[in-house]
Amino acid sequence: MSLTVMAGGIIHQYNVHAMTRLGRKMWCALVVHLFKKPARLDSGTFSNLITEAQIISMIGQDVSLFPYLSSFFSIYFLTPWVILFSAAVVLYFLWASFAVGLSIGALVVAISFRAAVAYMFIVRQKF
């Protein structure tokens, strides 16, 4: 079990760094594109379409989020694979116990999903 956790941690750490690099590249590409388009426009067209303040705002607020959020991309991409890998290892060693636990977990998820859908239906009827 500890080897499974270690392998998952190593894979996760590698992907955090890879996604951070990807986020920096995306940030650079978006900043370049934000300056490329206005650079090709003449001053009359430029002033009618977009202002300098809007470009600075886009760089400062919208584009600057990529480097900060990109390290979490790996979590979203990797989590299903870590779960499947861990489940495969546990299934190999604890077949019967894992099968019972998995079926109970699936049953709980299915029941809670049905309850959420029923509650959503009731709320929609009220409004």
Side-chain angles (χ1 to χ4, degrees):
M1 190 61 96
S2 61
L3 289 176
T4 305
V5 172
M6 271 182 23
I10 290 169
I11 293 169
H12 172 70
Q13 190 66 29
Y14 169 78
N15 283 311
V16 164
H17 293 296
M19 291 297 145
T20 301
R21 255 190 327 272
L22 177 69
R24 287 284 173 192
K25 288 179 182 179
M26 289 170 60
W27 175 75
C28 289
L30 287 170
V31 169
V32 165
H33 285 295
L34 282 175
F35 282 112
K36 226 184 226 185
K37 176 73 174 182
R40 283 188 266 149
L41 299 173
D42 62 349
S43 61
T45 310
F46 179 75
S47 61
N48 291 336
L49 292 177
I50 194 166
T51 65
E52 233 174 276
Q54 288 174 325
I55 292 175
I56 300 300
S57 175
M58 283 189 266
I59 293 170
Q61 294 173 2
D62 303 333
V63 177
S64 66
L65 293 175
F66 278 98
Y68 301 112
L69 294 176
S70 64
S71 62
F72 298 107
F73 290 166
S74 65
I75 294 172
Y76 303 130
F77 297 143
L78 187 66
T79 299
W81 298 108
V82 169
I83 291 171
L84 288 175
F85 178 70
S86 302
V89 170
V90 172
L91 180 62
Y92 179 75
F93 289 110
L94 305 171
W95 194 86
S97 303
F98 181 73
V100 170
L102 182 65
S103 61
I104 290 172
L107 182 66
V108 167
V109 168
I111 290 171
S112 62
F113 179 74
R114 293 191 105 192
V117 168
Y119 178 73
M120 185 177 63
F121 184 71
I122 290 171
V123 169
R124 282 188 181 171
Q125 283 182 341
K126 288 183 180 180
F127 297 106

